[in-house]
Each structure stands twice: as C-alpha cells, then as structure tokens.
Amino acid sequence: MTALQHVKLGTYYVVHLPEADDFDFWRERARALVQCDVPPDRIAWVEPGGSGDLFAHGERRMPVPPMDAKPVRANRRFVSLARNAILHSDPERFALLYRLLWRLQSNPRMMEDKADLDVRRVEELDKNVRRDSHKMHAFVRFRLVESEDEEVGEHYVAWFEPEHHILRANAGFFMRRFSNMRWSILTPRGSLHWDTQTMSEGPPAERHDAPGGDPMEDLWRTYYASIFNPARLKIGAMLKEMPKKYWKNMPEAALIPDLIAGAQGREAKMVEKGALEFEERPDTLAAIDKAIHGCRKCPIGQLNNHAVMGEGPQNAALMIVGEQPGDQEDQTGRPFVGPAGQLLDAHLEKVGIDRRAAYVTNAVKHFKYVQRGKRRLHQNPGAKEIDTCRWWIESERAIVKPKLVLAMGASAARGMLGKTVSISRVRGAPIPLEDGSELWVTAHPSYLLRLDGPAREEQARLFDADLAAVRARLEELV
Ligand code: URA
C-alpha cells in the first residue's frame, strides 16, 4: 500500500511512547513516518497513561520506510528545541514536533520564521521547560533522614513538584553537584535515587513520603542568612524568581520576612565595613575546590553555573592565570578546555612550555554569562567581582607557591595585583610580587581569537614572544 493509499483509506497510526520524555524513541518513529509520507493528521501520539484506546479502531502497525526513502531533514535548531520541548507536559507536544518535522522537509528554513505559529509554540515549550529545570536546580532542598540501617548512613531526601517531565533530564546535574551524598529526589512524576555510585529511578511519590523538617534546615537557614545580600534586595524580582509555590519546601523561606525587614540596617552595616568577610583561608587545594563550589560572595556565583578549580601539579613552578571559565569549562569543570584553551595549548607547545607541568587557573572561578536563547554569552567580570575572587587565587598561590605567575588578560592581571594595569605597558617584563615570585602579564588568548588577518598575526607574534620570555626566565629560576 502506498502512503497515498494509507491516507485515502483513512489509516491511522497510533504511536505509544514508552516514556513521556523519550526523545530518541519519538525521533526514531517520527523519521520512519516521515519517510513513509504519513501526514501529521494521520498519527495519534499516546504517552504512558494516555488515552490510546480512543484510536484502537484505526491502529496500524508502524509502516516500514522503503529502501530508497530520502533521508529526513532536521536542522540543529529543530533538534535542540525538540529535545527540550518533548519534556513539556503539554500532551500535544509530540504532534506539534511531528508537524514541524514534516513541514521542515519542504521548507528547510522554517525554523527561522519567527511568525510561524508552530515555531513560536515549540520555542515557548522549550522556554517553559528550561525555566522549570532552572527552578529545580535552585529550589530542591534536601533533608536529612536518619536510617536505621547503619550501613546506609546519612540519606538526604528532597521533595519537588516539577511542572514538566524534567526529572530524568536533570539527574546529571544533581549527581555532579551532590556526588558524595546519598540522596533521593521525590516528585509526583517519579523519583531519583543516588547512592554515591549509581543512579536509579523509582515510582512517583507523594508529599508525605518526604520528611518535613530536620537539623539540616537550620543549616540552610544559617547559610541563606549568610549569603543574603541586602544591597541587592529586589522584592518583585525575588518573587518572580522564587514563586511562593516553592516556599513551603524551602526552610530558608521562613527567614524571608525578617531578612527583608532587617535589610536596610544590614546594608548600612555592609557599606560601613566596606568589605566582605571570608572565613579562614583553606590550606589545601581540595579544600579550596570544595569551598569555591559553595561560594556565593558575588552575583556570578549565583548564576546557574559550576565553579571551576585550577588544575596542575601542586608544586608547579609556573602558574598560568586566565580570566574566568567559559561555557565549555563550566560544563566540563576544567580550565582552558574550550577554544581559548586550545589556542593557548598550541602557543605553549610552540614555545616549548609543557602545560602539564604548569598550574592553570582563573582569576574568577565561575562563568559569567547572559542567556540568549539556548546560548550563554560570555560577560566580562566586573572589578568588584574580580576583587572578591582574589581570595581564591591568593589561596591557590599560597599553596602552589609558583616561582612565576603568567597572567593572561586584564582581568587576570587585576586578580593578581588588585588594580587595573595596561597590558601593553606592563607586558614583557617581570613585576615582583610580595612573596618573592614574579608576575608576567600578557594578552588573553581570546583576544587573539577575536582578531584576524595581519592584526591577529601581529598579536600572535607578541604572545609568542611573551611566552618565550617566560620560558627563558623559568629556566633561570628553577
Ligand atoms: N578563558 C579563560 O580565561 N579561562 C578559561 O578557563 C577558559 C577561557
């Protein structure tokens, strides 16, 4: 039977999805249906628990695409929106995605049409899902549960009510962030359990399955009170970001009215002091690593990002300092692995500096960005943010004790010196540091990446010359 005949005979295909968030399954079925020329209005997509019986009379087995079927077109934008939109709780999402995929075959530029209703709808679904994930990252609160079984030890349980099917998609985030904790996240859509080694899934839960209060809550309250910055208090924005709906699950929410009431006085005090207080300086790299992950001393640390610790031998003679992690560094947790890192590696190799022997780090530990659609665009850190983060770079330097520090770019130089210097003025010569080591300043590799033609060649030459001078000086010092 040809596809046309299918339509004429009123053939209906019913696709039962095994999971509400199974993009790969949907994609595989959708591709086959497109290749068999089955139009969108001939398919019913049924998610688990959905009303498949309604269509039972018209159900047909999945058609098999002909051997010479044309490949299915789907551009990157479609795939990335679809992956997220499929997590939405709108039962129409599968049909919407199929309609888009179907239409993409004859109009490959369709995704660029901002006025198209289907495109607008999928963008909206994507946005809602991202917002829901963001809320989950911000508002999941674990509570300690005492286990009778000594072997199990401490177990933390959180209750969360996502609006969409985002639980599985966010498992990795919580696994990375709380990798050493045994935890469960219970939701009405399912549950996740992490035992510090493996992740498992469980059935939907109810509110009373999760504990309601414990000593951890005091810790949260203390923590929240300590990071609460009265100078940044904007009640409207706060309610928008932290809707009251989530307050009941958040121990620190009980503090909010008092904190708001006391905000003016605390702000005045902060201004008076003129400085942020830090706790005792950590004395191992591991302790710094742990501490920076909890650091919320500036607004960058409060974005949806991860701290990135320096890496390299603890006794490295050379410390290389960049500005801040970029998108790829934030995702991988390692400094200088993205495009700027690759360019840096190439230049280091060219002048004979072994990156593996150096301690590579950043002046600012978190990635500062603005979200533009799917992309996170780099933002320069401000002077105050760099100065706040100096605590960490100084702590690293106190442990590694490098003989020579190479600061790349103006932010890195400020992170080392506490003041702004002009790179062109200070590059190429050592600046003595108070502990007897030397600071050398050069341009940031991202600066080279932004240039092309002769300007790039000229800057690359200067960069190589600075690196070569560092290498020569290191040989003298070591
Ligand atoms: N740019 C930096 O300054 N540091 C990194 O780690 C990556 C890019």
Side-chain angles (χ1 to χ4, degrees), residues 322-326 329 334-336 340 362 444 446:
E323 179 194 70
Q324 60 167 335
E329 287 77 17
R334 297 184 52 213
F336 280 107
N362 282 299
H444 193 285
S446 300

Side-chain angles (χ1 to χ4, degrees), residues 413-434:
R414 183 170 181 112
M416 292 306 304
L417 295 167
K419 61 177 187 187
T420 298
V421 291
S422 148
I423 300 202
S424 56
R425 265 200 219 137
V426 297
R427 74 190 305 172
I431 301 173
L433 294 174
E434 75 297 340

Side-chain angles (χ1 to χ4, degrees), residues 73-78 100-116 119 123:
R73 293 178 192 208
N75 58 25
R76 221 188 270 171
R77 172 137 181 84
F78 170 77
L100 279 165
L101 184 66
W102 170 265
R103 294 178 54 209
L104 260 178
Q105 306 315 302
S106 52
N107 179 5
R109 305 194 64 134
M110 187 190 62
M111 297 307 292
E112 291 158 33
D113 182 355
K114 293 281 167 212
D116 185 284
V119 173
E123 284 176 345

Side-chain angles (χ1 to χ4, degrees), residues 114-368:
K114 293 281 167 212
D116 185 284
L117 290 182
D118 282 344
V119 173
R120 273 163 62 174
R121 179 66 186 147
V122 78
E123 284 176 345
E124 195 183 337
L125 298 190
D126 166 65
K127 193 164 147 209
N128 296 160
V129 166
R130 276 189 290 119
R131 193 170 166 76
D132 205 24
S133 291
H134 173 72
K135 298 250 177 299
M136 184 173 179
H137 295 180
F139 301 145
V140 157
R141 291 289 177 272
F142 289 104
R143 293 173 157 119
L144 181 60
V145 178
E146 298 298 341
S147 169
E148 314 228 308
D149 179 350
E150 277 194 6
E151 287 215 342
V152 171
E154 292 182 335
H155 186 184
Y156 294 87
V157 180
W159 170 252
F160 188 71
E161 293 167 51
E163 286 177 33
H164 305 293
H165 302 285
I166 57 165
L167 185 62
R168 195 175 285 135
N170 284 291
F173 172 87
F174 288 96
M175 195 178 79
R176 283 190 297 277
R177 191 150 275 193
F178 302 104
S179 60
N180 297 326
M181 253 165 71
R182 185 181 294 272
W183 55 255
S184 298
I185 300 178
L186 310 182
T187 85
R189 296 174 185 273
S191 45
L192 287 177
H193 308 278
W194 172 250
D195 68 0
T196 73
Q197 306 289 329
T198 47
M199 182 75 77
S200 56
E201 293 181 14
E206 291 183 22
R207 176 77 190 83
H208 60 76
D209 295 328
D214 69 77
M216 271 294 280
E217 297 204 345
D218 292 340
L219 277 183
W220 271 114
R221 273 195 273 265
T222 314
Y223 167 77
Y224 187 73
S226 74
I227 63 162
F228 179 82
N229 185 345
R232 284 207 308 276
L233 179 63
K234 290 197 179 65
I235 299 173
M238 187 162 125
L239 282 172
K240 187 162 161 257
E241 281 311 309
M242 193 200 281
K244 280 198 167 153
K245 167 179 161 189
Y246 297 100
W247 287 27
K248 61 184 184 296
N249 299 327
M250 302 174 63
E252 68 270 32
L255 286 180
I256 291 172
D258 283 353
L259 288 171
I260 291 174
Q264 274 189 336
R266 293 191 61 207
E267 180 176 3
K269 245 187 178 170
M270 265 175 63
V271 172
E272 213 172 274
K273 276 188 169 171
L276 289 153
E277 308 135 37
F278 274 99
E279 50 296 318
E280 228 170 89
R281 203 177 273 291
D283 56 4
T284 63
L285 292 176
I288 299 177
D289 192 4
K290 195 165 167 211
I292 59 174
H293 280 83
C295 184
R296 304 286 182 269
K297 298 281 184 194
C298 81
I300 312 181
Q302 297 177 29
L303 296 172
N304 184 13
N305 52 18
H306 308 103
V308 175
M309 179 63 185
E311 70 175 20
Q314 178 166 329
N315 58 356
L318 171 64
M319 179 184 260
I320 301 179
V321 184
E323 179 194 70
Q324 60 167 335
D327 187 53
Q328 293 192 33
E329 287 77 17
D330 179 56
Q331 287 178 37
T332 56
R334 297 184 52 213
F336 280 107
V337 293
Q342 284 157 25
L343 186 67
L344 172 65
D345 288 350
H347 282 275
L348 289 175
E349 197 181 330
K350 187 167 168 198
V351 302
I353 295 178
D354 181 1
R355 171 172 169 164
R356 287 162 310 174
Y359 183 85
V360 179
T361 191
N362 282 299
V364 171
K365 300 302 180 211
H366 283 93
F367 174 35
K368 180 173 178 182

Side-chain angles (χ1 to χ4, degrees), residues 274 321-324 362-365 380-394 397 405-423 426 431 433-434 439-444:
V321 184
E323 179 194 70
Q324 60 167 335
N362 282 299
V364 171
K365 300 302 180 211
N380 291 330
K384 265 201 200 154
E385 290 157 344
I386 300 170
D387 292 350
T388 304
C389 230
R390 287 190 72 210
W391 173 262
W392 301 123
I393 188 92
E394 284 177 357
R397 195 153 70 85
V405 180
L406 173 65
M408 301 188 299
S411 301
R414 183 170 181 112
M416 292 306 304
L417 295 167
K419 61 177 187 187
T420 298
V421 291
S422 148
I423 300 202
V426 297
I431 301 173
L433 294 174
E434 75 297 340
L439 174 69
W440 290 63
V441 176
T442 186
H444 193 285

